[in-house]
Amino acid sequence: MARSRGFFAVAAVATAAVVFAVVTALLLAVARWAERDFAAYPYLAGEDPIRVLLPTVQKANREDTLLLGPSSLGEALRYEDLQEAWGGRVIMGAISTATLDELRLALDYAITVYGADALPGRIVLGLDPRVVANIPRRFGASAERPAGYLIDLVNDYSAQLSVQSTSTSSVLQPKGPLASLLARARFYATKQQARIRAGVLAAVERFLDPDPVKLGWQDEMPHFQVNFRWLSDKRNASVLRQLAADRGVISAAVTWMRAYRSPYTSQFYKPIAEKDVRLMIESDWSDVLTWTPAADEAIVTEQLAWIDEFARRNGIELVVLYLPLHELIRAELPPDNVEWIRTATARYLPSARFVESWDSIESDAFVDNVHVTPRAARIVTGQLLASVPKGPRTRENDHE
Amino acid sequence: MTAVPFLSASFLGFATLAVALNAVLTGAARQAAFIAVNLLVLGFIFLGPIGLASTVVFALIGWAVIQSATRYPRLGLVVASAAFVVLFAWMRNYDFVGWLLPDTLRTSTFATIGLSFLLFKILHVAIEAKSGTLGPITLPQYLNYCLNFTTFTMGPIQRFQDYTAQWTGSKLAQPVSFESNLDAVNRILFGLVRVYVFGALLQPYMMTYDSGAETADFVPMLVQVYAFYFFLYFNFAGYCDIAIGVGSLLGVRPPENFDKPFLARNVSEFWQRQHRSLTHWLTDYVFNPTLKSLLSGALRNRRIVAVAAALSLTMVVSGLWHGTTAGFLLFGLMHGAYLVGYHLWDTFLISRFGRKRVSAWRKTPLAAAVGIFLTFNLTAFAFVFFQLGASKGLKLFANLIL
């Protein structure tokens, strides 16, 4: 009796597991389609480095462009506009509070795992003093290391690689079979929900509005006080209610879903008060404002040179975008440091083209201390397009 | 509410392991495997190593209390249980402990998750063991009953007899069929939806200690109070669904704990629908003995007063069982007042109009609607003390009335 009761219990659990696996597989297929063909970007608000691990997001062709930089790059450039102008796919590769070491590691990961054939024809590298100074984020388990967050993600979830790191550098190495199996299991057991949510919403959005790249949709978004993806937050609920009242339920839903599966977050926030910007600068930028370039010269120049060599070796056009800086930050940045960064980037990224947006955005177009509003994003995107009007060079598409 | 990670891969993994081991093992090996799984879940997911150690020690002291109760029937139960409750109060670091002990002797080191449930389970076993209704109890059997991971953190409070009968197979948790076990899996899924969908959707709107409900205008305050009521229901009832589902798959199904409490027509019925296993425990071990004692003593000829006193004491115990601060005491007192008020009203109506007429009148839709409305609001506002504590809770009522 006891044995048969147990048998039925195990059978029921196994049935549930099979149903769960099948449903998850189907939903993941939708997510992969949405990532590959419809520019759905999962993993947002702090988890965006996980995108590096997704071939559907990360793998590129020679006519494609990779936007690589901190989250402020992700908010300052409208990838849809760039895609429209440049032709190929524009991949949003912004990483929250990224450091130079983290960006280097992301490129190293891409070529090691996906191969040189999967690299884009162009990289737009977003730089600001915080990135160059390799100031690590101050939260999370890896607060101490410059590329800590990405290192943790690679170690925990990558099936192929792990990272051996010191306080100044990080080296990728192959993962053993057991570690690979565990990482894969961990990734599939715990990190698929965000993909499925974004993918399913993208599919619904596509069904309701078949235009996958609607230019300028960002300008129609209302201001949210918190992350608009949190539907259960009552402040968001009231904004969405108003949006539905103004534009109709379907249109409001499409707008929200388009935002949800997009890589943008901060630009739809209500801009914060100047006193709060000051507080954020005090908290997030104090290390940058007191940074001494001479102390880190060796490591910074080595990382810059690595990126330049990577681009040249793989035939990638490198465009450096000096990201917009808030007036309050510009006022406090030591001029010598600014000069040092310009000189170092020019010297150690000799193959790059440079686009200057450092002081192009007024304070009132910032949402917080680093992220800009949709209006400012249009300006920065325009500046980039003015300097680099055409897509990456390919055999079929030679600019000359 | 305790954030129990029922949706985590580790919890679901351990639960699956428990079901699989339960299916393939028998006898002492099954008992030993269940102890191991319980310790693993408690140690890794709920309590951490120090919490697990203090909880196991607490359970072993409980075992000693049970031995005292059976070996020394005259005073063993009373003395050992009283000492055990004192130990519980010290470990949970009740506010009133500060009136009796210097700060240096107070502690917040020990795990308090699940300790209230554990206390009531152990007292239940001690009382029943003393009365001889349980038969011989082995230590592994007792430990698995106490540390059963399915009901450890949030109940329901399963009776030892019920648990043992199901464990040994003399009573079936559910029919032996694939469909009934699939129903158990569905029950888990239903619980997860209640907790992680409905509960999570309500959470931003509910009153919290810092949500400003005590100073808000009437309608926003009402929304917060109602949202908390339903949040609590979805959260707690959802956790119980998961416990019942997993327990069913393990062959030890805990009792049902909720039956749409928001549809109760009076506060007495509310407690028959809300956290029913606690109500039954309090009825058996606090209300009934207190009433019996009062009616056989000083209040022999004053039944109404005796009932009122027993109800009040029961609800005070309930309040203090739920939490350690004055707010929980007020929660208990408020429910005590509700129950006494209802009892007096009921007694008055029956004496004035007769039981038949009162019963017929209560069955009318209007009476049911009025009863549900009043009960819903009375119980929803009692939760104000549950969530805001004494000071802010009183402020909310002052803001409401003045």
Side-chain angles (χ1 to χ4, degrees), chain B residues 77-217:
Chain B
L77 177 65
V78 175
V79 173
S81 298
F84 194 54
V85 171
V86 168
L87 172 70
F88 166 80
W90 178 71
M91 282 177 75
R92 280 206 77 185
N93 196 19
Y94 273 84
D95 275 4
F96 63 77
V97 172
W99 306 340
L100 306 169
L101 291 178
D103 283 349
T104 48
L105 293 179
R106 295 181 70 180
T107 178
S108 56
T109 311
F110 302 114
T112 56
I113 295 170
L115 208 62
S116 304
F117 285 100
L118 190 53
L119 174 79
F120 273 20
K121 279 181 177 179
I122 292 169
L123 290 179
H124 148 68
V125 176
I127 293 165
E128 297 299 326
K130 187 218 163 202
S131 66
T133 55
L134 297 183
I137 309 169
T138 65
L139 184 59
Q141 197 181 16
Y142 163 81
L143 282 177
N144 270 335
Y145 167 71
C146 286
L147 307 178
N148 178 359
F149 74 92
T150 61
T151 55
F152 182 79
T153 53
M154 300 186 81
I157 304 170
Q158 189 167 21
R159 297 302 172 98
F160 187 77
Q161 300 92 317
D162 185 45
Y163 169 86
T164 311
Q166 293 187 41
W167 180 264
T168 55
S170 61
K171 178 186 170 189
L172 286 179
Q174 57 183 354
V176 183
S177 70
F178 177 67
E179 290 78 6
S180 58
N181 281 283
L182 212 51
D183 284 345
V185 174
N186 279 337
R187 186 74 186 263
I188 297 169
L189 189 63
F190 184 59
L192 291 172
V193 170
R194 285 219 244 193
V195 174
Y196 293 103
V197 178
F198 296 133
L201 282 174
L202 284 167
Q203 199 163 12
Y205 301 92
M206 72 185 196
M207 76 177 150
T208 62
Y209 189 76
D210 299 317
S211 66
E214 71 280 9
T215 52
D217 290 340

Side-chain angles (χ1 to χ4, degrees), chain B residues 84-377:
Chain B
F84 194 54
V85 171
V86 168
L87 172 70
F88 166 80
W90 178 71
M91 282 177 75
R92 280 206 77 185
N93 196 19
Y94 273 84
D95 275 4
F96 63 77
V97 172
W99 306 340
L100 306 169
L101 291 178
D103 283 349
T104 48
L105 293 179
R106 295 181 70 180
T107 178
S108 56
T109 311
F110 302 114
T112 56
I113 295 170
L115 208 62
S116 304
F117 285 100
L118 190 53
L119 174 79
F120 273 20
K121 279 181 177 179
I122 292 169
L123 290 179
H124 148 68
V125 176
I127 293 165
E128 297 299 326
K130 187 218 163 202
S131 66
T133 55
L134 297 183
I137 309 169
T138 65
L139 184 59
Q141 197 181 16
Y142 163 81
L143 282 177
N144 270 335
Y145 167 71
C146 286
L147 307 178
N148 178 359
F149 74 92
T150 61
T151 55
F152 182 79
T153 53
M154 300 186 81
I157 304 170
Q158 189 167 21
R159 297 302 172 98
F160 187 77
Q161 300 92 317
D162 185 45
Y163 169 86
T164 311
Q166 293 187 41
W167 180 264
T168 55
S170 61
K171 178 186 170 189
L172 286 179
Q174 57 183 354
V176 183
S177 70
F178 177 67
E179 290 78 6
S180 58
N181 281 283
L182 212 51
D183 284 345
V185 174
N186 279 337
R187 186 74 186 263
I188 297 169
L189 189 63
F190 184 59
L192 291 172
V193 170
R194 285 219 244 193
V195 174
Y196 293 103
V197 178
F198 296 133
L201 282 174
L202 284 167
Q203 199 163 12
Y205 301 92
M206 72 185 196
M207 76 177 150
T208 62
Y209 189 76
D210 299 317
S211 66
E214 71 280 9
T215 52
D217 290 340
F218 180 70
V219 172
M221 178 271 292
L222 204 60
V223 169
Q224 288 195 39
V225 171
Y226 286 177
F228 178 68
Y229 184 109
F230 282 107
F231 167 81
L232 198 66
Y233 169 74
F234 282 122
N235 211 298
F236 195 3
Y239 282 137
C240 289
D241 288 331
I242 296 165
I244 290 167
V246 177
S248 301
L249 292 170
L250 287 168
V252 277
R253 180 191 178 99
E256 293 294 335
N257 217 18
F258 286 87
D259 180 20
K260 305 179 193 75
F262 38 83
L263 294 182
R265 286 164 299 178
N266 57 63
V267 178
S268 178
E269 189 188 338
F270 171 81
W271 283 108
Q272 295 299 322
R273 289 167 171 269
Q274 165 95 6
H275 207 164
R276 292 159 62 180
S277 62
L278 174 67
T279 307
H280 295 159
W281 195 101
L282 290 168
T283 306
D284 287 352
Y285 299 121
V286 182
F287 178 78
N288 286 343
T290 307
L291 183 63
K292 193 176 164 191
S293 165
L294 291 173
L295 287 176
S296 61
L299 299 174
R300 184 168 311 186
N301 299 317
R302 303 175 74 182
R303 186 175 173 82
I304 288 183
V305 179
V307 170
L311 284 172
S312 302
L313 177 70
T314 305
M315 283 296 113
V316 165
V317 171
S318 170
L320 291 175
W321 179 85
H322 277 97
T324 59
T325 60
F328 289 95
L329 179 63
L330 287 176
F331 167 78
L333 285 170
M334 204 160 172
H335 269 283
Y338 289 166
L339 286 171
V340 170
Y342 172 71
H343 179 69
L344 293 175
W345 173 244
D346 195 46
T347 307
F348 165 75
L349 284 180
I350 290 171
S351 65
R352 178 84 173 76
F353 301 106
R355 191 174 294 277
K356 268 191 173 176
R357 274 180 73 189
V358 171
S359 176
W361 179 74
R362 281 193 173 138
K363 283 177 184 161
T364 62
L366 177 66
V370 171
I372 289 170
F373 176 79
L374 284 176
T375 307
F376 178 84
N377 282 285

Side-chain angles (χ1 to χ4, degrees), chain A residues 1-8, chain B residues 22-26 30 167-169:
Chain A
M1 177 71 81
R3 183 57 63 89
S4 62
R5 190 175 57 204
F7 170 78
F8 285 128
Chain B
N22 189 53
V24 296
L25 299 174
T26 54
R30 181 173 167 234
W167 180 264
T168 55

Side-chain angles (χ1 to χ4, degrees), chain B residues 37-50:
Chain B
V37 172
N38 284 327
L39 293 176
L40 284 170
V41 175
L42 265 53
F44 280 109
I45 302 179
F46 294 155
L47 305 172
I50 295 174

Side-chain angles (χ1 to χ4, degrees), chain A residues 123-195:
Chain A
I123 291 173
V124 175
L125 187 67
L127 294 183
D128 67 18
R130 194 173 196 283
V131 176
V132 176
N134 273 316
I135 304 295
R137 64 178 49 74
R138 290 179 173 182
F139 54 85
S142 310
E144 303 304 316
R145 293 172 298 174
Y149 200 12
L150 189 56
I151 290 170
D152 285 346
L153 290 170
V154 170
N155 284 337
D156 287 349
Y157 301 113
S158 169
Q160 294 86 6
L161 300 174
S162 61
V163 184
Q164 191 156 38
S165 65
T166 66
S167 59
T168 52
S169 70
S170 36
V171 181
L172 292 167
Q173 56 187 21
K175 222 171 224 174
L178 180 62
S180 170
L181 189 69
L182 286 174
R184 212 181 279 271
R186 211 177 285 127
F187 188 53
Y188 277 98
T190 64
K191 289 292 170 193
Q192 302 308 306
Q193 295 91 334
R195 297 182 76 182

